[in-house]
Amino acid sequence: MTTAKRDTYTPETLLSVAVRVFNERGYDGTSMEHLSKAAGISKSSIYHHVSGKEELLRRAVSRALDGLFGILDEDHARVGSPADRLEHVVRRMVEVLISELPYVTLLLRVRGNTGTERWALERRREFDHRVAELLKAAAADGDIRDDVEVRLATRLVFGMVNSIVEWYRPDGRGMGEREVADAVVRVAFAGLRQG
Amino acid sequence: MTTAKRDTYTPETLLSVAVRVFNERGYDGTSMEHLSKAAGISKSSIYHHVSGKEELLRRAVSRALDGLFGILDEDHARVGSPADRLEHVVRRMVEVLISELPYVTLLLRVRGNTGTERWALERRREFDHRVAELLKAAAADGDIRDDVEVRLATRLVFGMVNSIVEWYRPDGRGMGEREVADAVVRVAFAGLRQG
DNA sequence: GTCTATATTACGATAGAC
DNA sequence: GTCTATCGTAATATAGAC
């Protein structure tokens, strides 16, 4: 490194600002002017770092997807009984949602108006399918209740896990990843009712 | 009635078209041009029926909120043990979500960029709070597991229920309201694990 | 009630100076 | 790397004819 670290934007640091604004106002509700104000530089300066709004979206959802797909490559997601692997994946999904909160939040709100958004939706479906397969295998082993369709059960679990982005805020001394993950796993597998 | 029913738009029929497009493209991603094409009339004709885009949004989320708050006025939501009342409310939330699907979908995606959106968010919080109180009372009775915070449990249930709008489609011979409601109540209260 | 035409503003993106 | 100025387009909404 020949130059000292300068206080200027890189595509990466700009991304964190942009993602925050996207999540506050929605992607379509965010103009380059909004980003410019939030970043403290002019609109045209943003174009020096990235090709446009859509590149910021692409970078953001890619990061989220990488985190999620990474879970499926972990040892505990690949060896063991389907039920144990499923529990591991659910737990890790919560952890990734929280550690990559703004990026996953944006991913989960994508609608499909642009090419990037449609690509993101497709990859999400791919991930969902992989988890559904796991739940199906656990059901075949008799570890999952048989009075609820596997497909429907998968969707309810995803609903519960994904909803975390709607309320979890890291500020202050709130709950940690571990605490939320424990609660989700408990409620998803054992239910709310006092055992 | 002095005139036969004509094949023309009213604010109500126009609303159903608009809400469908809003849900497909997102509210901010939908222009009056998009609505015009979908309704088969010109942009300016839309302004004959409603004052603008935001009125369509207001009418839509109002309808959704009326359906949800209506649940709290039902007998089974007001008398009986908190646990029974909670189960009734959860079941009815699923039914209202499904019977008013496009309207509730739109409500759940509101971000807060306009006055109407902020009003909708506030009323949603009000409803959530009412249900949280119910869950709190059930927990005080010892009917809800005590190793998960009441506040967190409420959020997970809402996550599961609200996620229905992301995948439920009434087309064809899919699941009915009753089937989905049963599944949600089972998973929420008893969990996925084979009993 | 619906249309064409248009006013006006906001948007994404680029040009070119420094 | 950042800026001001600006281009071309698309947005919301209105005017006024039929």
Side-chain angles (χ1 to χ4, degrees), chain B residues 68-90:
Chain B
L68 291 173
F69 275 98
I71 295 172
L72 301 177
D73 294 331
E74 295 170 356
D75 287 345
H76 288 90
R78 308 197 303 137
V79 299
S81 75
D84 286 346
R85 288 159 60 203
L86 176 65
E87 186 172 318
H88 173 79
V89 168
V90 170

Side-chain angles (χ1 to χ4, degrees), chain B:
Chain B
M1 244 204 291
T2 55
T3 57
K5 186 161 194 314
R6 284 188 288 140
D7 187 22
T8 185
Y9 281 112
T10 65
E12 206 56 30
T13 58
L14 185 59
L15 181 62
S16 70
V17 174
V19 169
R20 179 172 50 77
V21 183
F22 286 159
N23 283 330
E24 281 167 11
R25 311 188 51 92
Y27 177 71
D28 285 320
T30 302
S31 69
M32 293 302 276
E33 185 72 31
H34 290 135
L35 295 182
S36 152
K37 292 275 168 60
I41 58 176
S42 71
K43 276 192 293 180
S44 60
S45 293
I46 295 176
Y47 287 97
H48 178 78
H49 300 288
V50 292
S51 69
K53 230 175 105 171
E54 201 169 350
E55 183 184 332
L56 288 165
L57 180 65
R58 186 177 49 72
R59 283 174 180 270
V61 298
S62 289
R63 178 160 165 174
L65 286 163
D66 286 347
L68 291 173
F69 275 98
I71 295 172
L72 301 177
D73 294 331
E74 295 170 356
D75 287 345
H76 288 90
R78 308 197 303 137
V79 299
S81 75
D84 286 346
R85 288 159 60 203
L86 176 65
E87 186 172 318
H88 173 79
V89 168
V90 170
R91 178 178 298 277
R92 291 285 297 133
M93 277 178 66
V94 174
E95 290 169 0
V96 169
L97 248 70
I98 290 180
S99 65
E100 302 289 336
L101 194 67
Y103 304 95
V104 180
T105 302
L106 195 55
L107 172 68
L108 295 178
R109 289 180 182 162
V110 148
R111 299 302 316 152
N113 293 336
T114 66
T116 299
E117 294 180 63
R118 284 186 289 274
W119 166 79
L121 285 175
E122 203 180 326
R123 295 228 62 202
R124 258 191 74 188
R125 271 195 292 272
E126 214 176 301
F127 179 78
D128 293 7
H129 184 69
R130 296 278 297 274
V131 180
E133 289 291 309
L134 212 47
L135 202 147
K136 196 175 170 186
D141 283 0
D143 293 327
I144 296 290
R145 61 186 311 134
D146 54 11
D147 57 352
V148 172
E149 248 196 311
V150 167
R151 204 174 142 81
L152 175 49
T154 308
R155 281 164 162 164
L156 294 179
V157 173
F158 269 93
M160 194 155 48
V161 172
N162 289 344
S163 73
I164 291 171
V165 304
E166 301 298 330
W167 54 265
Y168 187 86
R169 294 297 172 267
D171 43 354
R173 41 188 296 293
M175 285 169 292
E177 276 183 25
R178 185 65 175 277
E179 198 177 340
V180 177
D182 282 346
V184 169
V185 169
R186 277 187 196 127
V187 174
F189 290 95
L192 283 175
R193 193 167 290 134
Q194 182 68 275

